[in-house]
Amino acid sequence: MRKTRTTSTAPAPLLGPRALNRATLDRQLLLSRSALPVKAAVEHLLGLQAQNVKPPYFALAARLDGFAPEQLSALMADREAVRIVTMRSTIHTHTADDCLTLRPLVQPARDRELTIFRKGLQGVDLDRLAALARDLVEAEPRTMNQLREALSAEWPDADPQALAIAARCKLPLVQVTPRGLWGRSGQVVLTTAEHWLGRPAAPAPAPDAVALRYLAAFGPASVKDMQTWSGLTRLREAFERLRPRLVTFRDENGVELFDLPDAPRPDPDTPAPPRFLPEFDNLLLSHADRARVVPPEHHGRSWQGNQAYRTLLVDGFLAGVWKLETDALVVEPFTPLGRQRQQEVTAEGERLLKAMYGEAASYDIRFGTVLR
């Protein structure tokens, strides 16, 4: 009797939450501070979440050795970095090069966003709107209110807010300085990226190339993770094309994770120092499954409604929130930290304050009521 040969495929290696945590922290420059120059760090991280002005500065202070806010501010003043709506329809600080490539990459998501406002855009020729809006902001940078008023004069029956959002979706609008500069104030005033940077946008990069960069900054990760980060859909084909160049793992739920073969995957027991992160930090927003950073018992505790808190990492995981009051950095842990952890958090807080505000910083560090 002829025997039938059977073959079996061994399951991909398992990466538990701590292994994923340490790998992601390393890619995010949070396991130990990096000596990368500021511009190289912003590029490696594929941009920094920048819904508010200060978060990119705090994000880099947590990641870079010797960081001073003036370093990022100088890049923005010299137009080597800009603030623009890209991933997840949120404002990011990008290098000029990434601004001109990543925005075209996520344009399909911005086009989909327009469907939300279609009721207020009935009868509006969107191509004509984009051309008119481009002429307006390139003639003179405009606020959103000025853009609304000018576009409403052309389409008086349309929803003014929808018209301005349509312009933002159709065009790569950057916030011109002094908005975003450290220690400066300024309202949001917009022009096109091409006009501000003095060069045309590049063609959208292949998703394969960006997937490799995403894994370098956020991996190991699933297809759904990258889709969550980017706001794009249908990225499975890109990962399948890349499969021969990648290694695969699985998480505790059996989800397939892709990674670069030579990317760092530290031992799960590698020490992870405390880190103070800003609101909306990309570490907490760039995976479909946040368990690699957010323990199940703390799920949802870094948000209230649509507002995100500034977050504290202890042993690599979300462990509390923090805020700056008039005279103090106030830490509010979710559970008691213990004496040694509290000393480590205090030392990291002192380092943060020194980096952001110099030796003359007059903040105390206080531990508030443990939040439950």
Side-chain angles (χ1 to χ4, degrees), residues 211-235:
L212 296 174
R213 291 185 62 192
Y214 171 76
L215 292 175
F218 295 97
S222 69
V223 174
K224 192 174 181 181
D225 286 332
M226 185 178 171
Q227 292 180 163
T228 297
W229 166 77
S230 65
L232 297 174
T233 59
R234 301 178 181 179
L235 292 179

PDB file of all heavy atoms in Angstrom, residues 211-235:
ATOM      1  N   ALA A 211       5.609  50.569   3.970  1.00  0.00           N
ATOM      2  CA  ALA A 211       5.424  49.466   4.914  1.00  0.00           C
ATOM      3  C   ALA A 211       6.747  49.095   5.577  1.00  0.00           C
ATOM      4  O   ALA A 211       6.795  48.816   6.785  1.00  0.00           O
ATOM      5  CB  ALA A 211       4.830  48.252   4.205  1.00  0.00           C
ATOM      6  N   LEU A 212       7.824  49.102   4.807  1.00  0.00           N
ATOM      7  CA  LEU A 212       9.137  48.794   5.386  1.00  0.00           C
ATOM      8  C   LEU A 212       9.537  49.852   6.413  1.00  0.00           C
ATOM      9  O   LEU A 212      10.086  49.529   7.467  1.00  0.00           O
ATOM     10  CB  LEU A 212      10.184  48.696   4.275  1.00  0.00           C
ATOM     11  CG  LEU A 212       9.990  47.559   3.267  1.00  0.00           C
ATOM     12  CD1 LEU A 212      11.013  47.662   2.140  1.00  0.00           C
ATOM     13  CD2 LEU A 212      10.092  46.198   3.958  1.00  0.00           C
ATOM     14  N   ARG A 213       9.258  51.101   6.106  1.00  0.00           N
ATOM     15  CA  ARG A 213       9.563  52.170   7.060  1.00  0.00           C
ATOM     16  C   ARG A 213       8.661  52.068   8.300  1.00  0.00           C
ATOM     17  O   ARG A 213       9.116  52.310   9.425  1.00  0.00           O
ATOM     18  CB  ARG A 213       9.387  53.542   6.405  1.00  0.00           C
ATOM     19  CG  ARG A 213      10.419  53.873   5.341  1.00  0.00           C
ATOM     20  CD  ARG A 213      10.254  55.292   4.829  1.00  0.00           C
ATOM     21  NE  ARG A 213      10.453  56.257   5.905  1.00  0.00           N
ATOM     22  CZ  ARG A 213      10.153  57.548   5.808  1.00  0.00           C
ATOM     23  NH1 ARG A 213       9.607  58.029   4.698  1.00  0.00           N
ATOM     24  NH2 ARG A 213      10.372  58.368   6.829  1.00  0.00           N
ATOM     25  N   TYR A 214       7.406  51.712   8.082  1.00  0.00           N
ATOM     26  CA  TYR A 214       6.494  51.555   9.214  1.00  0.00           C
ATOM     27  C   TYR A 214       7.000  50.458  10.152  1.00  0.00           C
ATOM     28  O   TYR A 214       7.019  50.632  11.372  1.00  0.00           O
ATOM     29  CB  TYR A 214       5.089  51.235   8.715  1.00  0.00           C
ATOM     30  CG  TYR A 214       4.136  50.843   9.822  1.00  0.00           C
ATOM     31  CD1 TYR A 214       3.596  51.807  10.662  1.00  0.00           C
ATOM     32  CD2 TYR A 214       3.803  49.508  10.040  1.00  0.00           C
ATOM     33  CE1 TYR A 214       2.735  51.455  11.699  1.00  0.00           C
ATOM     34  CE2 TYR A 214       2.948  49.148  11.066  1.00  0.00           C
ATOM     35  CZ  TYR A 214       2.417  50.119  11.900  1.00  0.00           C
ATOM     36  OH  TYR A 214       1.578  49.761  12.932  1.00  0.00           O
ATOM     37  N   LEU A 215       7.414  49.337   9.602  1.00  0.00           N
ATOM     38  CA  LEU A 215       7.917  48.250  10.444  1.00  0.00           C
ATOM     39  C   LEU A 215       9.178  48.673  11.190  1.00  0.00           C
ATOM     40  O   LEU A 215       9.380  48.299  12.347  1.00  0.00           O
ATOM     41  CB  LEU A 215       8.184  47.007   9.602  1.00  0.00           C
ATOM     42  CG  LEU A 215       6.945  46.320   9.008  1.00  0.00           C
ATOM     43  CD1 LEU A 215       7.353  45.165   8.103  1.00  0.00           C
ATOM     44  CD2 LEU A 215       6.004  45.836  10.107  1.00  0.00           C
ATOM     45  N   ALA A 216      10.019  49.464  10.544  1.00  0.00           N
ATOM     46  CA  ALA A 216      11.246  49.922  11.205  1.00  0.00           C
ATOM     47  C   ALA A 216      10.928  50.813  12.400  1.00  0.00           C
ATOM     48  O   ALA A 216      11.690  50.852  13.373  1.00  0.00           O
ATOM     49  CB  ALA A 216      12.125  50.671  10.206  1.00  0.00           C
ATOM     50  N   ALA A 217       9.802  51.508  12.355  1.00  0.00           N
ATOM     51  CA  ALA A 217       9.451  52.440  13.429  1.00  0.00           C
ATOM     52  C   ALA A 217       8.421  51.886  14.401  1.00  0.00           C
ATOM     53  O   ALA A 217       8.380  52.309  15.560  1.00  0.00           O
ATOM     54  CB  ALA A 217       8.920  53.748  12.837  1.00  0.00           C
ATOM     55  N   PHE A 218       7.587  50.928  13.962  1.00  0.00           N
ATOM     56  CA  PHE A 218       6.471  50.466  14.785  1.00  0.00           C
ATOM     57  C   PHE A 218       6.357  48.945  14.893  1.00  0.00           C
ATOM     58  O   PHE A 218       5.477  48.457  15.584  1.00  0.00           O
ATOM     59  CB  PHE A 218       5.150  51.010  14.225  1.00  0.00           C
ATOM     60  CG  PHE A 218       5.016  52.497  14.298  1.00  0.00           C
ATOM     61  CD1 PHE A 218       5.311  53.290  13.196  1.00  0.00           C
ATOM     62  CD2 PHE A 218       4.598  53.119  15.456  1.00  0.00           C
ATOM     63  CE1 PHE A 218       5.182  54.671  13.247  1.00  0.00           C
ATOM     64  CE2 PHE A 218       4.458  54.499  15.520  1.00  0.00           C
ATOM     65  CZ  PHE A 218       4.763  55.277  14.418  1.00  0.00           C
ATOM     66  N   GLY A 219       7.204  48.213  14.197  1.00  0.00           N
ATOM     67  CA  GLY A 219       7.065  46.771  14.149  1.00  0.00           C
ATOM     68  C   GLY A 219       7.502  46.084  15.426  1.00  0.00           C
ATOM     69  O   GLY A 219       8.057  46.715  16.326  1.00  0.00           O
ATOM     70  N   PRO A 220       7.264  44.764  15.475  1.00  0.00           N
ATOM     71  CA  PRO A 220       6.511  43.923  14.536  1.00  0.00           C
ATOM     72  C   PRO A 220       5.038  44.340  14.513  1.00  0.00           C
ATOM     73  O   PRO A 220       4.501  44.770  15.521  1.00  0.00           O
ATOM     74  CB  PRO A 220       6.678  42.517  15.119  1.00  0.00           C
ATOM     75  CG  PRO A 220       7.836  42.601  16.086  1.00  0.00           C
ATOM     76  CD  PRO A 220       7.815  43.992  16.601  1.00  0.00           C
ATOM     77  N   ALA A 221       4.414  44.173  13.357  1.00  0.00           N
ATOM     78  CA  ALA A 221       3.054  44.692  13.222  1.00  0.00           C
ATOM     79  C   ALA A 221       2.262  43.893  12.203  1.00  0.00           C
ATOM     80  O   ALA A 221       2.821  43.257  11.305  1.00  0.00           O
ATOM     81  CB  ALA A 221       3.098  46.161  12.808  1.00  0.00           C
ATOM     82  N   SER A 222       0.956  43.959  12.345  1.00  0.00           N
ATOM     83  CA  SER A 222       0.045  43.299  11.419  1.00  0.00           C
ATOM     84  C   SER A 222      -0.345  44.249  10.298  1.00  0.00           C
ATOM     85  O   SER A 222      -0.092  45.455  10.360  1.00  0.00           O
ATOM     86  CB  SER A 222      -1.207  42.835  12.165  1.00  0.00           C
ATOM     87  OG  SER A 222      -1.978  43.964  12.574  1.00  0.00           O
ATOM     88  N   VAL A 223      -0.997  43.696   9.286  1.00  0.00           N
ATOM     89  CA  VAL A 223      -1.537  44.532   8.216  1.00  0.00           C
ATOM     90  C   VAL A 223      -2.516  45.539   8.801  1.00  0.00           C
ATOM     91  O   VAL A 223      -2.490  46.735   8.466  1.00  0.00           O
ATOM     92  CB  VAL A 223      -2.236  43.664   7.146  1.00  0.00           C
ATOM     93  CG1 VAL A 223      -2.911  44.551   6.109  1.00  0.00           C
ATOM     94  CG2 VAL A 223      -1.247  42.716   6.491  1.00  0.00           C
ATOM     95  N   LYS A 224      -3.366  45.091   9.697  1.00  0.00           N
ATOM     96  CA  LYS A 224      -4.365  45.980  10.297  1.00  0.00           C
ATOM     97  C   LYS A 224      -3.699  47.081  11.112  1.00  0.00           C
ATOM     98  O   LYS A 224      -4.200  48.208  11.186  1.00  0.00           O
ATOM     99  CB  LYS A 224      -5.333  45.183  11.153  1.00  0.00           C
ATOM    100  CG  LYS A 224      -6.562  45.974  11.588  1.00  0.00           C
ATOM    101  CD  LYS A 224      -7.566  45.087  12.307  1.00  0.00           C
ATOM    102  CE  LYS A 224      -8.799  45.888  12.722  1.00  0.00           C
ATOM    103  NZ  LYS A 224      -9.781  45.031  13.439  1.00  0.00           N
ATOM    104  N   ASP A 225      -2.561  46.773  11.731  1.00  0.00           N
ATOM    105  CA  ASP A 225      -1.834  47.805  12.477  1.00  0.00           C
ATOM    106  C   ASP A 225      -1.433  48.949  11.557  1.00  0.00           C
ATOM    107  O   ASP A 225      -1.645  50.128  11.877  1.00  0.00           O
ATOM    108  CB  ASP A 225      -0.574  47.213  13.124  1.00  0.00           C
ATOM    109  CG  ASP A 225      -0.870  46.343  14.325  1.00  0.00           C
ATOM    110  OD1 ASP A 225      -1.887  46.574  15.000  1.00  0.00           O
ATOM    111  OD2 ASP A 225      -0.082  45.416  14.583  1.00  0.00           O
ATOM    112  N   MET A 226      -0.843  48.622  10.410  1.00  0.00           N
ATOM    113  CA  MET A 226      -0.419  49.688   9.505  1.00  0.00           C
ATOM    114  C   MET A 226      -1.618  50.442   8.949  1.00  0.00           C
ATOM    115  O   MET A 226      -1.550  51.659   8.727  1.00  0.00           O
ATOM    116  CB  MET A 226       0.435  49.136   8.369  1.00  0.00           C
ATOM    117  CG  MET A 226       0.978  50.257   7.482  1.00  0.00           C
ATOM    118  SD  MET A 226       2.054  49.710   6.151  1.00  0.00           S
ATOM    119  CE  MET A 226       2.214  51.264   5.217  1.00  0.00           C
ATOM    120  N   GLN A 227      -2.707  49.746   8.731  1.00  0.00           N
ATOM    121  CA  GLN A 227      -3.910  50.427   8.248  1.00  0.00           C
ATOM    122  C   GLN A 227      -4.440  51.390   9.306  1.00  0.00           C
ATOM    123  O   GLN A 227      -4.909  52.482   8.979  1.00  0.00           O
ATOM    124  CB  GLN A 227      -4.964  49.391   7.854  1.00  0.00           C
ATOM    125  CG  GLN A 227      -4.554  48.600   6.618  1.00  0.00           C
ATOM    126  CD  GLN A 227      -5.571  47.551   6.171  1.00  0.00           C
ATOM    127  OE1 GLN A 227      -5.518  47.066   5.042  1.00  0.00           O
ATOM    128  NE2 GLN A 227      -6.483  47.187   7.039  1.00  0.00           N
ATOM    129  N   THR A 228      -4.356  51.001  10.572  1.00  0.00           N
ATOM    130  CA  THR A 228      -4.764  51.888  11.656  1.00  0.00           C
ATOM    131  C   THR A 228      -3.874  53.122  11.701  1.00  0.00           C
ATOM    132  O   THR A 228      -4.349  54.245  11.854  1.00  0.00           O
ATOM    133  CB  THR A 228      -4.703  51.145  13.001  1.00  0.00           C
ATOM    134  OG1 THR A 228      -5.638  50.065  12.984  1.00  0.00           O
ATOM    135  CG2 THR A 228      -5.016  52.078  14.168  1.00  0.00           C
ATOM    136  N   TRP A 229      -2.568  52.918  11.560  1.00  0.00           N
ATOM    137  CA  TRP A 229      -1.613  54.031  11.597  1.00  0.00           C
ATOM    138  C   TRP A 229      -1.842  55.011  10.444  1.00  0.00           C
ATOM    139  O   TRP A 229      -1.840  56.223  10.641  1.00  0.00           O
ATOM    140  CB  TRP A 229      -0.196  53.476  11.540  1.00  0.00           C
ATOM    141  CG  TRP A 229       0.855  54.500  11.233  1.00  0.00           C
ATOM    142  CD1 TRP A 229       1.370  55.425  12.092  1.00  0.00           C
ATOM    143  CD2 TRP A 229       1.502  54.717   9.970  1.00  0.00           C
ATOM    144  NE1 TRP A 229       2.309  56.207  11.447  1.00  0.00           N
ATOM    145  CE2 TRP A 229       2.412  55.800  10.148  1.00  0.00           C
ATOM    146  CE3 TRP A 229       1.420  54.105   8.718  1.00  0.00           C
ATOM    147  CZ2 TRP A 229       3.216  56.273   9.112  1.00  0.00           C
ATOM    148  CZ3 TRP A 229       2.223  54.577   7.690  1.00  0.00           C
ATOM    149  CH2 TRP A 229       3.109  55.644   7.887  1.00  0.00           C
ATOM    150  N   SER A 230      -2.047  54.477   9.256  1.00  0.00           N
ATOM    151  CA  SER A 230      -2.079  55.314   8.060  1.00  0.00           C
ATOM    152  C   SER A 230      -3.468  55.835   7.712  1.00  0.00           C
ATOM    153  O   SER A 230      -3.599  56.873   7.045  1.00  0.00           O
ATOM    154  CB  SER A 230      -1.547  54.534   6.854  1.00  0.00           C
ATOM    155  OG  SER A 230      -2.402  53.440   6.553  1.00  0.00           O
ATOM    156  N   GLY A 231      -4.503  55.127   8.118  1.00  0.00           N
ATOM    157  CA  GLY A 231      -5.849  55.455   7.665  1.00  0.00           C
ATOM    158  C   GLY A 231      -6.165  54.892   6.298  1.00  0.00           C
ATOM    159  O   GLY A 231      -7.251  55.108   5.762  1.00  0.00           O
ATOM    160  N   LEU A 232      -5.219  54.129   5.719  1.00  0.00           N
ATOM    161  CA  LEU A 232      -5.434  53.507   4.414  1.00  0.00           C
ATOM    162  C   LEU A 232      -6.066  52.130   4.582  1.00  0.00           C
ATOM    163  O   LEU A 232      -6.053  51.539   5.663  1.00  0.00           O
ATOM    164  CB  LEU A 232      -4.110  53.377   3.659  1.00  0.00           C
ATOM    165  CG  LEU A 232      -3.401  54.688   3.304  1.00  0.00           C
ATOM    166  CD1 LEU A 232      -2.037  54.410   2.703  1.00  0.00           C
ATOM    167  CD2 LEU A 232      -4.251  55.510   2.330  1.00  0.00           C
ATOM    168  N   THR A 233      -6.603  51.612   3.507  1.00  0.00           N
ATOM    169  CA  THR A 233      -7.187  50.273   3.498  1.00  0.00           C
ATOM    170  C   THR A 233      -6.489  49.425   2.437  1.00  0.00           C
ATOM    171  O   THR A 233      -5.688  49.918   1.646  1.00  0.00           O
ATOM    172  CB  THR A 233      -8.694  50.331   3.202  1.00  0.00           C
ATOM    173  OG1 THR A 233      -8.891  50.964   1.924  1.00  0.00           O
ATOM    174  CG2 THR A 233      -9.422  51.139   4.277  1.00  0.00           C
ATOM    175  N   ARG A 234      -6.778  48.147   2.448  1.00  0.00           N
ATOM    176  CA  ARG A 234      -6.326  47.215   1.416  1.00  0.00           C
ATOM    177  C   ARG A 234      -4.795  47.179   1.276  1.00  0.00           C
ATOM    178  O   ARG A 234      -4.246  47.240   0.179  1.00  0.00           O
ATOM    179  CB  ARG A 234      -6.964  47.560   0.060  1.00  0.00           C
ATOM    180  CG  ARG A 234      -8.494  47.527   0.103  1.00  0.00           C
ATOM    181  CD  ARG A 234      -9.093  47.917  -1.233  1.00  0.00           C
ATOM    182  NE  ARG A 234     -10.556  47.906  -1.169  1.00  0.00           N
ATOM    183  CZ  ARG A 234     -11.346  48.230  -2.194  1.00  0.00           C
ATOM    184  NH1 ARG A 234     -10.813  48.600  -3.349  1.00  0.00           N
ATOM    185  NH2 ARG A 234     -12.661  48.199  -2.052  1.00  0.00           N
ATOM    186  N   LEU A 235      -4.121  47.069   2.412  1.00  0.00           N
ATOM    187  CA  LEU A 235      -2.657  46.991   2.381  1.00  0.00           C
ATOM    188  C   LEU A 235      -2.148  45.553   2.401  1.00  0.00           C
ATOM    189  O   LEU A 235      -0.942  45.327   2.371  1.00  0.00           O
ATOM    190  CB  LEU A 235      -2.075  47.770   3.567  1.00  0.00           C
ATOM    191  CG  LEU A 235      -2.261  49.290   3.507  1.00  0.00           C
ATOM    192  CD1 LEU A 235      -1.661  49.942   4.747  1.00  0.00           C
ATOM    193  CD2 LEU A 235      -1.640  49.877   2.242  1.00  0.00           C
TER     194      LEU A 235
END
